[in-house]
Structure formats: structure tokens, C-alpha cells
Amino acid sequence: MPMTPPLTTMNPDPLRQHLQALPEPELSETLWPRLDGARQRRLDRQRRGAGALAIVLVALAVVPLLQIDLAAPNSAAANSTAAVVAVPRPEPTDIVAAGSDIADADIAARLRALDRDLQAAYREGSSDAEIAQLWQARRALLAGNGHASVANPIRI
Amino acid sequence: MDRPAAETAPADNQSEADLVRKARWGDRDAFEQLYRLHARAIHALALRLTGNRAAAEDITQDAFMKLLQFLGGIRNDTPLRPWLKRVTANLAIDRMRRERPQLTEPWDEQRPDTDAGPALHAETSDLLRRLPPLVRTVVWLHEMEGWSHPELARRFGRSQSWSKSILARGLTRLRADLQGHDPEGEPQHADDAAADDDES
């Protein structure tokens, strides 16, 4: 900003000369370390803020890619290691659909009956031994029909 | 910086421009060099306005932190000192308004600040310190930093008449005190009359 002549005088002013002659005082030696510390703290805050922002952005980008299915309450039961007893109530039509290559209608009817029995066993809280027997009978029925590959129940 | 030492002002500006550019990119040494170039003048201004060494150091630190904050918006070839001085003056005024909210009667506070430190020029600086902080600020900014009355009025939220009145009374007081200290000094009646005319 340019210096403008003061309005109070247009002649050399002894007062102004005195004021201009005032020396600049020495700086305290602690001032630069104080300023440097403040500068470093500001830099650290900026870096932390940038880091937090980066994490948020990455999370926003990654979450949609995970395709987490949060609406399948039976899926945990289906993942049980005891596959024989852990299958959720299988729908007869689904079981039949899995064995759609079964030509024998009688076999299909017997399978439907076994599936109904299995559903009833799960619903009524039958013992593991009873349920295991039903699964064993189902496997035997399918194996006897030459469909060993579908002996294991499908996951519904 | 590979410029020959014989170059004068343009090289100084170019050097400062280099420092500004480097400091903008986080170069600590460049920022320190800018501090070394300007801190003493900035601190002196803060001390003149506040009359208090601790306050002057706080304001100096704040001024350079603002420089750090606004480096991105400052052109490389912009002289830094006027910018820093303006920031310093504003910081000092803000501080004064916080500490002394009632600015309507600046002459009520007659006691001088006593914490100006031993480094000040004994005679004139003592006279300056005797002025109330608001009067001292107006006098210094107008007489030494070139602030106009419209600028002073706007900054203090007052009228130009107010600024002129404060200035005139402050200068009258300083000159009278200076004459009292300087046995060869002459009364400045003509200037006082001019100051009175400005008030009308």
C-alpha cells in the first residue's frame, strides 16, 4: 500500500522524523521456534485430515463392491458343517427341481414324501438321529436311482 | 537461487518470489527465509501499535501463520511486506477491540503501557507509549503506514471525522510532549491549526 502524505502537515515534520527514526527492536530468539512449531502442527493437522478423508473415500468406493447379503437369515444355518442336519427346510418343489432329470415319477413322489417328512422333523424339533435317518433314506433313494451326484441336498 | 549479487531490487523481488513459490509447496527453509526477511519489521509494527512485547510476538506469529494459510492465493511477484503489515495492523486492531470493547472514549485510558521493553528508542517511544492504545494506533497507521481516514474509519467502524479528530489530538499531544523533551523544538502551531481545520 503506497504511503500517503499525512493531512496534518505538508512540511518536514520533526515529529514524523522522530517516529521514523525509531529503531526496529530485536526479535526474541524464541519467536521462530514458536512459529515453526505452529507451522508443523498445522501441517500435521492437514495430513491427518487428508488421511481421514482418504479412508472415507476408499470405504465409500469399496463397500458397494462387497455385495454383502445382509437379508438371508437362513444362510448361516445352511453354512453349518453338519450338512446332513443343517439344511434349512427344503421346499419339495426345489428338491424336485434339483433332481429334474429323474424320470421315475415314483421316485419323485417318494422324494417329495421324504422332503415333507424332513420339513416336519425340523419344524417339530426332532432329534438329530431322526433327521439323519431321513437324510440317509433320501440319499439312498437317489443313489438307488443312479443319481449319486444329487445325494447331497441342495442349498436353498 | 543463482542470481549474481550485483543485481538490486528486481533480484530481491525475484528471490522473494522464489521463496514464496517454495514455501507454498511446503519448503520449511523457504518459509524461514521469508520470516527472516520480514519478521523484524512486522514485530516492530505490532509493538508500536500494542505497546506490549508479548502481544507483539503473538501478533507476529499470527501474521506469519496467516501468510502460510494464504500463500496459495498470493501471486509470486506480490511484495509480501505490505501484505504482512496490513494483516498485522488488522490483528492488532482486533486484539485491541477484544480487550477494550469501549472505543468511544479513547482518552479515558491515560495510563501508558509499561511493558514496551528496553529496546525502544527512549524519548519518542516513551511519548508514543503515553498515548492511549487507540490513539497510538490511529496516529501510527496514518502517519507511518499511510492509512487514509476512510480506511481508518471503516476499520474501526466509525466516521472519518472521528478518525481525523483522534489523529489531530494525538499529534498535538505528541508534539507538545516532544517539545517538552527537546529544548530546541519549536511549537508547531501551524500544524495544529491545520488539524483543527480538518475537524470542521
Side-chain angles (χ1 to χ4, degrees):
Chain A
M1 187 174 59
M3 293 282 288
T4 57
L7 298 178
T8 52
T9 177
M10 301 298 292
N11 298 320
D13 182 357
L15 172 61
R16 190 171 235 247
Q17 291 173 349
H18 278 276
L19 293 176
Q20 285 177 334
L22 285 173
E24 291 180 350
E26 291 290 333
L27 280 175
S28 167
E29 291 183 359
T30 61
L31 189 50
W32 167 247
R34 274 177 54 183
L35 176 59
D36 193 31
R39 184 196 65 85
Q40 187 61 45
R41 286 191 297 275
R42 181 175 184 271
L43 200 61
D44 292 343
R45 279 196 303 272
Q46 286 179 330
R47 285 173 180 163
R48 280 197 299 272
L53 181 61
I55 290 172
V56 168
L57 291 175
V58 167
L60 288 175
V62 166
V63 164
L65 302 176
L66 294 179
Q67 297 181 346
I68 296 173
D69 182 5
L70 302 176
N74 293 327
S75 62
N79 288 332
S80 170
T81 55
V84 173
V85 298
V87 174
R89 302 169 187 174
E91 292 296 330
T93 55
D94 294 326
I95 299 298
V96 171
S100 59
D101 57 343
I102 301 175
D104 195 339
D106 182 50
I107 299 296
R110 289 164 67 183
L111 274 174
R112 278 196 292 271
L114 272 172
D115 289 334
R116 281 195 295 271
D117 291 338
L118 273 167
Q119 287 186 11
Y122 281 115
R123 185 172 56 246
E124 294 165 1
S126 300
S127 67
D128 290 350
E130 291 172 342
I131 293 174
Q133 281 183 352
L134 289 171
W135 279 112
Q136 190 175 3
R138 192 178 187 282
R139 279 200 302 275
L141 181 62
L142 291 171
N145 196 44
H147 292 276
S149 61
V150 294
N152 290 326
I154 62 168
R155 183 167 298 168
I156 299 172
Chain B
M1 287 174 248
D2 298 326
R3 296 192 170 270
E7 293 190 30
T8 55
D12 292 340
N13 252 0
Q14 183 65 34
S15 298
E16 184 170 275
D18 288 340
L19 292 174
V20 168
R21 189 177 62 253
K22 290 177 181 176
R24 185 180 296 127
W25 287 102
D27 188 322
R28 176 186 176 275
D29 292 339
F31 184 70
E32 182 176 2
Q33 287 189 55
L34 290 174
Y35 168 84
R36 300 291 175 199
L37 279 174
H38 300 293
R40 192 161 173 173
I42 299 308
H43 176 262
L45 172 60
L47 190 55
R48 302 284 177 253
L49 299 181
T50 62
N52 180 287
R53 187 170 290 275
E57 289 187 1
D58 289 345
I59 288 172
T60 303
Q61 176 178 327
D62 290 345
F64 278 90
M65 287 303 293
K66 282 194 179 293
L67 174 64
L68 198 61
Q69 180 182 355
F70 291 107
L71 264 178
I74 297 176
R75 287 174 49 178
N76 290 351
D77 57 352
T78 299
L80 279 189
R81 188 165 295 189
W83 188 92
L84 281 167
K85 282 194 163 187
R86 174 66 72 161
V87 167
T88 299
N90 284 328
L91 287 169
I93 293 171
D94 288 341
R95 187 183 186 106
M96 182 171 49
R97 297 183 81 168
R98 280 197 307 272
E99 293 175 353
R100 300 175 176 88
Q102 296 300 326
L103 296 180
T104 53
E105 298 295 333
W107 292 97
D108 288 348
E109 189 173 348
Q110 298 291 330
R111 290 177 305 159
D113 290 312
T114 57
D115 189 22
L120 292 180
H121 190 272
E123 200 174 283
T124 309
S125 65
D126 286 344
L127 300 181
L128 198 59
R129 282 189 299 123
R130 284 187 201 176
L131 294 177
L134 174 61
V135 178
R136 181 175 62 226
T137 300
V138 171
V139 166
W140 189 269
L141 289 179
H142 185 274
E143 293 296 300
M144 304 307 297
E145 300 298 328
W147 284 43
S148 65
H149 286 296
E151 286 174 316
L152 287 165
R154 187 168 47 249
R155 190 60 185 85
F156 284 97
R158 303 300 297 266
S159 67
Q160 292 186 39
S161 299
W162 172 90
S163 173
K164 292 175 184 176
S165 171
I166 295 293
L167 177 67
R169 294 173 69 182
L171 289 175
T172 300
R173 170 80 168 271
L174 278 174
R175 291 193 184 106
D177 289 346
L178 189 63
Q179 183 181 0
H181 279 74
D182 181 2
E184 297 181 5
E186 294 292 333
Q188 300 291 331
H189 296 301
D191 291 329
D192 290 342
D196 290 338
D197 287 339
D198 287 339
E199 289 187 62
S200 61

